[in-house]
Amino acid sequence: MSANPQWDISRALGVARFFHLVCGVRDACVTPFLTLYLRQLGLAAPWVGILMGTKHLISAFWAPFCAFLAKSYQKRRVLLIGSLLGSVGASLLMVLVPPLDRDPGYRSCNGSHSVTATVPPPGVALTVNVTSAPEPAPNHPAPSLPAERSTGVAPADGFRGGPGESGQEPFSRLPSSFVGSIQGTRTTSRVLLHPITSRVKDTPQEGAFRVVSPALPLLAGGMALASPANQSAAKGMAGALDLSLEGLRWTFILSLGSMVFWELLTSPLEQVADDSLYEYLDFVDATDRYRSLWIWRLLGMSAGVCGISALVGQLDCFLTTNGPRGVVHFYGYSLVSTLALLVSIAFPVSVCRRWEPSYKMVKALSLVGGDPRLITLALTVFLIGTATSTVQNFLFWHMKDHESSELVMGFSVALGWLGEILLHPLKTPLLRKLSRVGTVGLGLGCLAGQLLYFSFLWSWWSVLPAQILSAISHGALWWAVGASIEHLATPGTERPLSAMFRSHFYGGGASLGSFVGGFVVMRFSLAVLYRACCVVLLLWLALFLFIQPRLPQERKINYSKLLAVEASDTSDSEQGTERDWLVKAMRDEHSDWRG
């Protein structure tokens, strides 16, 4: 152990790596699946968009403000411990939010029955697969449904009575909006959902129903009523129409309050930890070892998202038998937050030094306003946040429409993160070959291609090939953005400028994309949303590549070249003085000033 453990760099980096790993696992337990849980609560796409937009908006402005206060009052460790401790309880508040349907019936934990159901729009028939354990054959023949039944309005409070009621037992946990009747031990039936003056009629096939007079016309986004491209829009419309004022008051408002409180406690953690560690390493001139810590966070997120999704199917029925799925995510989040809390006690925090007023953020903002290249880069990051938020919010909805499991969802996200880690050794050659502008263009093109591909998903596994492109559409794209910021920033404004781009511009774009995206999904469809984002990104890509070479290029003095100047170039002779690039630059600047 060193004589001064306060500056034990190896120990500090080891603790920091483990902290980033644990925080990555912690974030992956809930963040990718949060919108899916909100859907299970019964909230439609517009309300989910409002919740996620509020979450991004708080994170964009509250986190930098808390980081500033923590630095000003030298309370960084207090904020780290308080944030982790508060997030343990705040995350569990989401479990207490009541769903719109008190008995949603998203699953049956009874091993003898298996019910798979999703919610289509008003007037849309949905195939519900029901598998029951075979029972001993009775002494008398089992009754069968007649070929035709009278057409009428289906009751809204359950299924019709009559013969074969025992066959309806697997559907006893379905929502009250399901109507129809089921006969037999092994049946595949068509059941009409959302009984708003919808009329159904039996078909000659046993247990099958067809829509006679749907209450609403077909929504945009699909050729057939129950096409996957149309289901997400259908869910949004059906949920919006079916939300009673009482359900909206207690589910949406309680969800909003819980998420706001949770985000206020959680959002400052990452920035405060990064600032503290960077200043700790900067004090001993070891900031070069700071750049590789993000890999540990991605490794933790990859492991966490796969691990929690595997546990959900195994533990969900043991922890709760009513209410929506997904509570395992929040329990796992709280458990890992407790572990991160213990690690934060040993997390390296820079030595308290006398605080002096700093206006670096103001300088960074003025720098953005005065440089057209930074303005175009800021608009690019804003659009990236807008487009990326639509994927983060609703891609899992799209996969769920195709009967994807949460394990596949988690693996698809981890595939992109692992690809980003594997691509990192090629970061320098990629930026050298394509340049910063070319890499940004490549990343925007890949992101637009992903969005277009997602709008045509045909199966649950079809999302996996496109997720490999996330290594470029996220990883390489942000490498080019970071390199551009370092090139355009003035000394001392690199980190404030980078934090502004990631929090304010990217977070603001994600907030706007969430707010608008939910209503687009309800009004049109999820496929239309993805295609619209694809078109916007392609148009901006063409404009970006067109105007970037035409922007004024500032000629900066690169002081690092001073180290490469030969001794002969710095002689006292006039010839040596003329070869000194620094003297030339100073003379040119002086002559320009006099002129």
Side-chain angles (χ1 to χ4, degrees), residues 30-40 43-57 232 235 259 384-401 409 413 451 454 467 506-521 526 529-530 533:
V30 169
T31 303
F33 304 95
L34 184 56
T35 57
L36 194 63
Y37 181 80
L38 295 174
R39 181 190 188 183
Q40 293 166 1
L43 295 177
W47 316 119
V48 173
I50 292 174
L51 291 174
M52 297 305 296
T54 304
K55 179 179 182 294
H56 288 300
L57 196 62
S232 292
K235 293 177 181 65
M259 287 189 63
I384 292 171
T386 303
T388 305
S389 67
T390 62
V391 177
Q392 295 173 346
N393 292 343
F394 300 114
L395 180 60
F396 282 5
W397 289 34
H398 211 20
M399 296 178 68
K400 193 67 176 179
D401 292 343
M409 298 177 189
V413 176
L451 290 167
F454 290 152
Q467 284 294 85
Y506 180 81
S511 179
L512 179 63
S514 299
F515 284 131
V516 177
F519 288 95
V520 173
V521 170
L526 186 56
L529 175 64
Y530 284 157
C533 291

Side-chain angles (χ1 to χ4, degrees), residues 54-76:
T54 304
K55 179 179 182 294
H56 288 300
L57 196 62
I58 293 174
S59 177
F61 295 95
W62 178 250
F65 178 71
C66 288
F68 171 77
L69 292 180
K71 180 179 180 181
S72 302
Y73 294 98
Q74 298 295 334
K75 298 295 183 182
R76 281 175 170 165

